[in-house]
Amino acid sequence: MDGVHQDITVGTKRGSDELFPSISSSPYIMNTTANGNDSKKFKGDLGGPRTPSRVIHLRKLPNDVTETDVIGLGLPFGDVTNLLMLKAKSQAFLEMNSEEAAQNMVGYYSTVVPFIRSQPVYVQFSNHKELKTDHSPNQERAQAALRALNATHVDPNAIIPSTVLRVVVENLLYPVSLDALCQIFSKFGTVLRIIVFTKNSQFQALLQYQDGASAQTAKLSLDGQNIYNGCCTLRISFSKLTTLNVKFNNEKSRDFTRPDLPTGDSQPVMEHPAMATAFTPGIISAAPYTGANHAFPHAFALPPTVSSPYAGLTVPALPGALASLSFPGATRLGFPQIPEGHSVVLVSNLNAERVTPHCLFILFGVYGDVMRVKILFNKKENALVQMCDATQAQLAMNHLSGQRLHGKPLRITLSKHTSVQLPREGHEDQGLTKDYSNSPLHRFKKPGSKNYSNIFPPSATLHLSNIPPSVVEDDLKMLFSSSGALVKAFKFFQKDHKMALIQMGSVEEAIECLIEFHNHDLGENHHLRVSFSKSSI
């Protein structure tokens, strides 16, 4: 065979936008002038389960996809030995170095949909056992990209990239924590150390891998990706530093090889002169997810891993392993994603005897501005909650899923509805549907509100603010105890008695107290503000 056209034919029966999930059992045929000079015919792969192959078929690629983007999907699982790009048909074929590597890749992406440039990509085995490419200009470009990348990954004599990455988060509309970055970057290798800081009004991080191959793979796969829908864009480069010197394990720095380090009360001490000039205290760095049901352990033990040719490169064997963590959904970082324009979530397993629209409005309002709430008339253990936008819906879904409310763990999924309908005029629904679009209690209606940088998972410790001078510690302890909850500890902020921390007996008690006492009238025209704290007392 002297060209790929003898193995793979691209036909005319169906456009690439219709390739998935409309599946038939036979190959489709398309005439194409894909990739300029590549006017040959290729046979695409379409169908259900098939036998494993080293060749993987990628579909619905974005128009601006590059060879590096496609290769980057395969590199965490093994060497990529060949590539065929069909840009005009939004497709590509990727050949891995082994069938096992291909199986790991397809298995991983079977439930964690990969994204390239914010567009979902579909991954499946090809019907073909190998790729044979021709020498057209476009395929030469693909081969050049392969050679360049494989030189870094395979050639033992090649210059090994730095193990330290510099990460800048642009368009920071929502807070990004140290633990969130660790969850993302650990997908590509063993993270040894990380420091977060703010420099030139930009949130940044320095992150050290165990080996250069992992750092290279992470940079290739994550550079330019969004953490949240349409914002918090990662810009990644190699640092000139060879190692990070971390003195404290806290929300600003972490050394996973030294669990014995103190937490410290100040920013990490760095002996390297370049580090000293780079670091300033992080103004939005979030604390570890203490109190969250799915908090990542400090030891950062990853799930069982699939095989990889690169020492230290660990890829979770369970496709959904990262999806269950308390980190909001990302566009290509291994987390479930809510599509743009979908801001309604379905909340189920509610306590039908106790839940009210107001209760859900206050709780979900911690993570975004709630527009409408509807408790279903015939199934009162279910409710629809409409957030202001998809990102806020994602935040609420990921932070609140599994949390207990009135004795029952919440189950939250994306609703098929794009909005919550109000009852028609003259139709009474017993107050089960409420419109909150003009509520004065929205926390995020002001652009750039400081509340954006204070979004934390539910925890047993609550942050109280807007406390009038006449209210003392015993008043607040008595107020919160009146709900039947246990108050374990209380502390006013040393420099500002308008704020305090109160620790409840459990996360569930804290959730119910937040619902009950947020906006509580304390007198003197002061209404109490309650949110989840990143700290403990």
Side-chain angles (χ1 to χ4, degrees):
M1 300 183 187
D2 59 356
V4 73
H5 62 284
Q6 296 185 20
D7 279 347
I8 301 176
T9 308
V10 178
T12 56
K13 284 293 182 184
R14 124 197 358 246
S16 60
D17 287 341
E18 299 173 293
L19 295 183
F20 193 90
S22 302
I23 291 177
S24 67
S25 59
S26 59
Y28 55 91
I29 303 297
M30 283 188 276
N31 291 321
T32 180
T33 55
N35 298 317
N37 295 332
D38 298 334
S39 56
K40 303 179 177 71
K41 291 184 177 181
F42 296 91
K43 184 176 182 180
D45 294 313
L46 198 62
R50 52 172 51 82
T51 57
S53 164
R54 288 196 302 129
V55 181
I56 293 169
H57 186 193
L58 308 172
R59 294 179 286 139
K60 301 200 81 171
L61 299 172
N63 293 332
D64 56 348
V65 67
T66 66
E67 287 81 2
T68 301
D69 291 332
V70 174
I71 297 168
L73 289 183
L75 280 179
F77 304 92
D79 293 339
V80 178
T81 53
N82 210 344
L83 172 67
L84 172 63
M85 297 289 290
L86 301 173
K87 289 186 181 180
K89 292 300 173 185
S90 304
Q91 299 178 47
F93 290 85
L94 199 66
E95 183 183 270
M96 302 300 291
N97 65 324
S98 70
E99 195 173 282
E100 181 185 19
Q103 283 182 299
N104 287 335
M105 178 178 172
V106 172
Y108 183 77
Y109 291 134
S110 63
T111 56
V112 179
V113 177
F115 280 71
I116 292 180
R117 301 177 186 268
S118 301
Q119 181 171 315
V121 176
Y122 297 104
V123 178
Q124 66 184 63
F125 288 118
S126 169
N127 288 324
H128 307 280
K129 297 301 181 183
E130 64 177 343
L131 284 181
K132 293 191 176 181
T133 50
D134 57 22
H135 299 289
S136 67
N138 289 286
Q139 297 313 322
E140 280 295 325
R141 188 169 60 246
Q143 296 304 307
L146 261 181
R147 286 192 295 272
L149 288 168
N150 283 336
T152 304
H153 285 270
V154 178
D155 184 358
N157 298 315
I159 298 175
I160 302 299
S162 170
T163 59
V164 180
L165 295 178
R166 176 175 174 265
V167 182
V168 177
V169 184
E170 296 179 348
N171 194 19
L172 189 74
L173 298 184
Y174 293 91
V176 176
S177 71
L178 176 149
D179 280 350
L181 290 175
C182 284
Q183 291 171 30
I184 294 167
F185 281 84
S186 287
K187 202 172 97 174
F188 300 92
T190 301
V191 176
L192 300 182
R193 301 170 188 90
I194 183 172
I195 298 170
V196 297
F197 57 94
T198 299
K199 182 182 180 184
N200 300 328
S201 300
Q202 285 186 313
F203 180 65
Q204 302 187 29
L206 288 165
L207 185 143
Q208 183 180 352
Y209 275 105
Q210 181 174 293
D211 60 276
S214 297
Q216 171 81 344
T217 303
K219 179 181 182 299
L220 182 70
S221 301
L222 298 176
D223 188 29
Q225 301 298 328
N226 295 329
I227 297 177
Y228 298 100
N229 294 343
C231 65
C232 298
T233 306
L234 296 172
R235 301 296 178 195
I236 304 172
S237 58
F238 287 110
S239 170
K240 294 179 181 178
L241 299 172
T242 56
T243 189
L244 299 181
N245 188 5
V246 175
K247 298 295 186 183
F248 300 106
N249 283 336
N250 55 29
E251 72 269 18
K252 296 177 183 177
S253 64
R254 197 77 55 79
D255 186 336
F256 297 108
T257 69
R258 293 284 311 280
D260 58 309
L261 289 178
T263 57
D265 295 320
S266 60
Q267 67 187 51
V269 177
M270 287 151 291
E271 296 174 354
H272 195 290
M275 284 295 298
T277 59
F279 186 88
T280 57
I283 59 172
I284 64 139
S285 54
Y289 287 158
T290 51
N293 281 356
H294 306 293
F296 220 57
H298 285 318
F300 230 80
L302 286 171
T305 57
V306 297
S307 62
S308 169
Y310 309 122
L313 177 58
T314 52
V315 182
L318 300 175
L322 292 177
S324 66
L325 297 170
S326 297
F327 179 64
T331 55
R332 201 203 118 180
L333 308 182
F335 303 97
Q337 179 196 7
I338 288 183
E340 278 302 334
H342 284 69
S343 58
V344 181
V345 293
L346 172 65
V347 188
S348 57
N349 201 40
L350 293 166
N351 185 326
E353 302 297 320
R354 300 184 62 183
V355 72
T356 64
H358 177 77
C359 155
L360 296 176
F361 165 69
I362 295 296
L363 178 57
F364 279 73
V366 174
Y367 300 105
D369 293 337
V370 177
M371 298 292 105
R372 292 174 180 175
V373 177
K374 181 183 187 72
I375 296 175
L376 303 190
F377 185 79
N378 293 321
K379 294 183 178 180
K380 292 187 174 61
E381 66 277 7
N382 298 303
L384 296 173
V385 178
Q386 181 179 342
M387 307 297 289
C388 184
D389 58 42
T391 300
Q392 292 182 358
Q394 189 83 63
L395 282 167
M397 185 167 73
N398 284 276
H399 280 308
L400 295 176
S401 290
Q403 300 289 354
R404 297 182 69 86
L405 175 63
H406 302 317
K408 304 185 74 172
L410 297 175
R411 289 200 287 266
I412 307 173
T413 57
L414 176 64
S415 170
K416 64 181 180 182
H417 300 284
T418 56
S419 64
V420 171
Q421 299 299 314
L422 295 175
R424 285 176 294 179
E425 194 171 343
H427 287 69
E428 176 58 47
D429 76 341
Q430 301 178 1
L432 297 176
T433 305
K434 294 289 186 181
D435 184 5
Y436 296 101
S437 55
N438 295 315
S439 172
L441 296 184
H442 286 164
R443 298 179 188 239
F444 306 100
K445 58 185 176 182
K446 292 181 182 178
S449 166
K450 64 180 181 180
N451 290 329
Y452 282 110
S453 58
N454 290 307
I455 298 175
F456 304 108
S459 65
T461 305
L462 297 172
H463 179 278
L464 312 181
S465 61
N466 203 34
I467 303 169
S470 61
V471 173
V472 298
E473 177 177 333
D474 284 345
D475 295 330
L476 290 166
K477 289 166 89 172
M478 188 177 301
L479 174 67
F480 278 75
S481 297
S482 68
S483 67
L486 171 67
V487 176
K488 295 181 70 173
F490 182 94
K491 183 176 74 174
F492 272 113
F493 277 55
Q494 188 172 359
K495 296 181 180 179
D496 187 356
H497 273 230
K498 295 178 182 177
M499 296 190 291
L501 296 177
I502 187 166
Q503 184 177 344
M504 312 310 298
S506 66
V507 176
E508 182 178 1
E509 285 187 350
I511 288 173
E512 295 185 9
C513 284
L514 181 144
I515 292 169
E516 185 167 352
F517 298 119
H518 179 64
N519 201 47
H520 182 83
D521 189 352
L522 293 175
E524 303 177 38
N525 201 29
H526 283 68
H527 286 77
L528 185 64
R529 298 288 177 261
V530 186
S531 57
F532 297 115
S533 173
K534 68 177 181 178
S535 308
S536 57
I537 302 174

